[in-house]
CSV table of all heavy atoms in Angstrom, one decimal:
chain,number,residue,atom,x,y,z
D,377,GLN,N,-91.2,-67.7,-171.2
D,377,GLN,CA,-92.0,-68.9,-170.8
D,377,GLN,C,-92.9,-68.6,-169.6
D,377,GLN,O,-93.6,-69.5,-169.1
D,377,GLN,CB,-91.1,-70.1,-170.5
D,377,GLN,CG,-90.1,-69.9,-169.3
D,377,GLN,CD,-88.8,-69.4,-169.7
D,377,GLN,OE1,-88.7,-68.5,-170.5
D,377,GLN,NE2,-87.7,-70.0,-169.1
D,378,MET,N,-92.9,-67.3,-169.1
D,378,MET,CA,-93.8,-67.0,-168.0
D,378,MET,C,-95.3,-67.1,-168.5
D,378,MET,O,-95.6,-66.7,-169.7
D,378,MET,CB,-93.6,-65.6,-167.5
D,378,MET,CG,-92.4,-65.4,-166.6
D,378,MET,SD,-92.1,-63.7,-166.0
D,378,MET,CE,-90.9,-64.1,-164.7
D,379,THR,N,-96.1,-67.7,-167.7
D,379,THR,CA,-97.5,-67.9,-168.1
D,379,THR,C,-98.3,-66.6,-167.9
D,379,THR,O,-98.0,-65.7,-167.2
D,379,THR,CB,-98.2,-69.1,-167.4
D,379,THR,OG1,-98.2,-68.7,-166.0
D,379,THR,CG2,-97.4,-70.3,-167.6
D,380,GLY,N,-99.5,-66.6,-168.6
D,380,GLY,CA,-100.4,-65.5,-168.4
D,380,GLY,C,-100.2,-64.3,-169.4
D,380,GLY,O,-101.2,-63.6,-169.7
D,381,GLY,N,-99.0,-64.1,-169.9
D,381,GLY,CA,-98.8,-63.1,-170.8
D,381,GLY,C,-98.9,-61.7,-170.2
D,381,GLY,O,-99.4,-61.5,-169.0
D,382,PRO,N,-98.5,-60.6,-170.9
D,382,PRO,CA,-98.7,-59.3,-170.4
D,382,PRO,C,-100.1,-58.8,-170.4
D,382,PRO,O,-100.3,-57.6,-169.9
D,382,PRO,CB,-97.8,-58.4,-171.4
D,382,PRO,CG,-97.8,-59.2,-172.6
D,382,PRO,CD,-97.9,-60.7,-172.2
D,383,GLU,N,-101.0,-59.6,-170.8
D,383,GLU,CA,-102.4,-59.1,-170.9
D,383,GLU,C,-103.2,-59.4,-169.6
D,383,GLU,O,-104.3,-58.8,-169.4
D,383,GLU,CB,-103.1,-59.8,-172.1
D,383,GLU,CG,-103.3,-61.3,-172.0
D,383,GLU,CD,-102.1,-62.0,-172.6
D,383,GLU,OE1,-101.1,-61.4,-172.9
D,383,GLU,OE2,-102.3,-63.2,-172.8
D,384,ARG,N,-102.7,-60.2,-168.7
D,384,ARG,CA,-103.6,-60.7,-167.6
D,384,ARG,C,-104.0,-59.5,-166.7
D,384,ARG,O,-105.1,-59.5,-166.2
D,384,ARG,CB,-102.9,-61.7,-166.7
D,384,ARG,CG,-101.6,-61.3,-166.0
D,384,ARG,CD,-101.1,-62.3,-165.0
D,384,ARG,NE,-101.3,-63.6,-165.3
D,384,ARG,CZ,-100.7,-64.6,-164.6
D,384,ARG,NH1,-99.9,-64.4,-163.6
D,384,ARG,NH2,-100.9,-65.9,-165.0
D,385,TYR,N,-103.2,-58.5,-166.6
D,385,TYR,CA,-103.5,-57.3,-165.8
D,385,TYR,C,-104.5,-56.4,-166.4
D,385,TYR,O,-105.1,-55.5,-165.7
D,385,TYR,CB,-102.3,-56.6,-165.4
D,385,TYR,CG,-101.2,-57.5,-164.8
D,385,TYR,CD1,-100.0,-57.8,-165.6
D,385,TYR,CD2,-101.3,-58.1,-163.6
D,385,TYR,CE1,-99.1,-58.6,-165.1
D,385,TYR,CE2,-100.4,-58.9,-163.1
D,385,TYR,CZ,-99.2,-59.2,-163.8
D,385,TYR,OH,-98.3,-60.1,-163.3
D,386,PHE,N,-104.8,-56.6,-167.7
D,386,PHE,CA,-105.8,-55.8,-168.4
D,386,PHE,C,-107.1,-56.5,-168.5
D,386,PHE,O,-108.0,-56.1,-169.3
D,386,PHE,CB,-105.3,-55.4,-169.8
D,386,PHE,CG,-104.1,-54.4,-169.7
D,386,PHE,CD1,-102.8,-54.9,-169.6
D,386,PHE,CD2,-104.4,-53.1,-169.8
D,386,PHE,CE1,-101.8,-54.0,-169.6
D,386,PHE,CE2,-103.3,-52.2,-169.7
D,386,PHE,CZ,-102.0,-52.6,-169.6
D,387,GLU,N,-107.3,-57.6,-167.8
D,387,GLU,CA,-108.5,-58.4,-167.9
D,387,GLU,C,-109.4,-58.3,-166.7
D,387,GLU,O,-108.8,-58.4,-165.6
D,387,GLU,CB,-108.2,-59.9,-168.1
D,387,GLU,CG,-107.3,-60.2,-169.4
D,387,GLU,CD,-108.1,-60.1,-170.7
D,387,GLU,OE1,-109.4,-59.9,-170.6
D,387,GLU,OE2,-107.5,-60.2,-171.7
D,388,ALA,N,-110.7,-58.1,-166.9
D,388,ALA,CA,-111.5,-57.9,-165.7
D,388,ALA,C,-111.6,-59.1,-164.9
D,388,ALA,O,-112.0,-59.1,-163.7
D,388,ALA,CB,-112.9,-57.5,-166.2
D,389,TRP,N,-111.4,-60.3,-165.5
D,389,TRP,CA,-111.5,-61.6,-164.7
D,389,TRP,C,-110.3,-61.8,-163.8
D,389,TRP,O,-110.3,-62.7,-162.9
D,389,TRP,CB,-111.7,-62.8,-165.6
D,389,TRP,CG,-110.8,-62.9,-166.8
D,389,TRP,CD1,-111.1,-62.6,-168.1
D,389,TRP,CD2,-109.4,-63.3,-166.8
D,389,TRP,NE1,-110.0,-62.8,-168.9
D,389,TRP,CE2,-108.9,-63.2,-168.1
D,389,TRP,CE3,-108.5,-63.7,-165.8
D,389,TRP,CZ2,-107.6,-63.6,-168.5
D,389,TRP,CZ3,-107.2,-64.1,-166.1
D,389,TRP,CH2,-106.8,-64.0,-167.5
D,390,TRP,N,-109.2,-61.0,-163.9
D,390,TRP,CA,-108.0,-61.3,-163.1
D,390,TRP,C,-108.3,-61.0,-161.6
D,390,TRP,O,-108.6,-59.9,-161.3
D,390,TRP,CB,-106.8,-60.5,-163.6
D,390,TRP,CG,-105.6,-61.0,-162.9
D,390,TRP,CD1,-104.8,-60.2,-162.1
D,390,TRP,CD2,-105.0,-62.3,-162.9
D,390,TRP,NE1,-103.7,-61.0,-161.6
D,390,TRP,CE2,-103.8,-62.2,-162.1
D,390,TRP,CE3,-105.3,-63.5,-163.6
D,390,TRP,CZ2,-103.0,-63.3,-161.9
D,390,TRP,CZ3,-104.5,-64.6,-163.3
D,390,TRP,CH2,-103.4,-64.5,-162.5
D,391,ALA,N,-108.3,-62.0,-160.8
D,391,ALA,CA,-108.9,-61.9,-159.4
D,391,ALA,C,-107.8,-61.8,-158.4
D,391,ALA,O,-108.1,-61.6,-157.2
D,391,ALA,CB,-109.7,-63.2,-159.2
D,392,ARG,N,-106.5,-61.9,-158.7
D,392,ARG,CA,-105.5,-61.8,-157.7
D,392,ARG,C,-104.8,-60.4,-157.6
D,392,ARG,O,-104.9,-59.7,-158.6
D,392,ARG,CB,-104.4,-62.9,-158.0
D,392,ARG,CG,-104.9,-64.3,-157.9
D,392,ARG,CD,-103.8,-65.3,-158.2
D,392,ARG,NE,-104.3,-66.6,-158.0
D,392,ARG,CZ,-103.7,-67.5,-157.2
D,392,ARG,NH1,-102.6,-67.2,-156.5
D,392,ARG,NH2,-104.2,-68.7,-157.0
D,393,ASP,N,-104.2,-60.1,-156.5
D,393,ASP,CA,-103.6,-58.8,-156.4
D,393,ASP,C,-102.3,-58.8,-157.1
D,393,ASP,O,-101.7,-59.8,-157.4
D,393,ASP,CB,-103.5,-58.4,-154.9
D,393,ASP,CG,-102.5,-59.4,-154.1
D,393,ASP,OD1,-102.4,-60.6,-154.5
D,393,ASP,OD2,-101.9,-58.9,-153.1
D,394,PHE,N,-101.9,-57.6,-157.5
D,394,PHE,CA,-100.6,-57.4,-158.2
D,394,PHE,C,-100.1,-56.0,-157.9
D,394,PHE,O,-100.8,-55.1,-157.3
D,394,PHE,CB,-100.8,-57.7,-159.7
D,394,PHE,CG,-101.8,-56.8,-160.4
D,394,PHE,CD1,-101.4,-55.6,-161.1
D,394,PHE,CD2,-103.1,-57.2,-160.5
D,394,PHE,CE1,-102.3,-54.9,-161.8
D,394,PHE,CE2,-104.0,-56.4,-161.2
D,394,PHE,CZ,-103.6,-55.2,-161.8
D,395,ILE,N,-98.9,-55.7,-158.4
D,395,ILE,CA,-98.2,-54.4,-158.1
D,395,ILE,C,-97.9,-53.8,-159.5
D,395,ILE,O,-97.4,-54.5,-160.4
D,395,ILE,CB,-97.0,-54.6,-157.3
D,395,ILE,CG1,-97.4,-55.2,-155.9
D,395,ILE,CG2,-96.2,-53.3,-157.1
D,395,ILE,CD1,-96.2,-55.8,-155.1
D,396,THR,N,-98.1,-52.5,-159.6
D,396,THR,CA,-97.7,-51.8,-160.8
D,396,THR,C,-96.7,-50.7,-160.4
D,396,THR,O,-96.6,-50.2,-159.3
D,396,THR,CB,-98.9,-51.1,-161.5
D,396,THR,OG1,-99.4,-50.1,-160.6
D,396,THR,CG2,-100.0,-52.1,-161.9
D,397,MET,N,-95.8,-50.5,-161.4
D,397,MET,CA,-94.8,-49.4,-161.3
D,397,MET,C,-95.0,-48.4,-162.5
D,397,MET,O,-95.0,-48.9,-163.7
D,397,MET,CB,-93.4,-49.9,-161.3
D,397,MET,CG,-93.1,-50.9,-160.2
D,397,MET,SD,-93.2,-50.2,-158.5
D,397,MET,CE,-91.9,-49.0,-158.5
D,398,SER,N,-95.3,-47.2,-162.2
D,398,SER,CA,-95.7,-46.2,-163.2
D,398,SER,C,-94.8,-45.0,-163.2
D,398,SER,O,-94.3,-44.6,-162.1
D,398,SER,CB,-97.2,-45.8,-163.0
D,398,SER,OG,-98.0,-46.9,-163.0
D,399,ALA,N,-94.7,-44.3,-164.3
D,399,ALA,CA,-93.9,-43.1,-164.4
D,399,ALA,C,-94.5,-42.0,-163.5
D,399,ALA,O,-95.7,-41.8,-163.6
D,399,ALA,CB,-93.8,-42.6,-165.9
D,400,ARG,N,-93.7,-41.4,-162.7
D,400,ARG,CA,-94.2,-40.3,-161.9
D,400,ARG,C,-94.6,-39.1,-162.8
D,400,ARG,O,-93.9,-38.9,-163.8
D,400,ARG,CB,-93.1,-39.9,-160.9
D,400,ARG,CG,-92.8,-40.9,-159.8
D,400,ARG,CD,-91.8,-40.4,-158.8
D,400,ARG,NE,-91.5,-41.3,-157.7
D,400,ARG,CZ,-92.3,-41.5,-156.7
D,400,ARG,NH1,-93.4,-40.8,-156.5
D,400,ARG,NH2,-92.0,-42.4,-155.8
D,401,PRO,N,-95.6,-38.4,-162.4
D,401,PRO,CA,-96.0,-37.2,-163.2
D,401,PRO,C,-94.8,-36.2,-163.2
D,401,PRO,O,-94.1,-36.0,-162.3
D,401,PRO,CB,-97.2,-36.7,-162.5
D,401,PRO,CG,-97.1,-37.3,-161.1
D,401,PRO,CD,-96.4,-38.6,-161.2
D,402,MET,N,-94.7,-35.5,-164.4
D,402,MET,CA,-93.6,-34.5,-164.5
D,402,MET,C,-93.7,-33.4,-163.4
D,402,MET,O,-92.6,-33.0,-163.0
D,402,MET,CB,-93.7,-33.9,-165.9
D,402,MET,CG,-93.2,-34.8,-167.0
D,402,MET,SD,-91.5,-35.4,-166.7
D,402,MET,CE,-90.6,-33.8,-166.7
D,403,SER,N,-94.9,-33.1,-163.0
D,403,SER,CA,-95.0,-32.1,-161.9
D,403,SER,C,-94.2,-32.5,-160.7
D,403,SER,O,-93.6,-31.7,-160.0
D,403,SER,CB,-96.4,-31.8,-161.6
D,403,SER,OG,-97.1,-32.9,-161.2
Side-chain angles (χ1 to χ4, degrees):
Q377 65 269 41
M378 284 180 166
T379 62
E383 64 271 12
R384 64 168 38 168
Y385 308 110
F386 290 88
E387 300 289 353
W389 47 256
W390 188 244
R392 295 181 175 237
D393 62 333
F394 60 95
I395 297 163
T396 64
M397 301 299 292
S398 302
R400 291 185 179 276
M402 283 304 300
S403 58

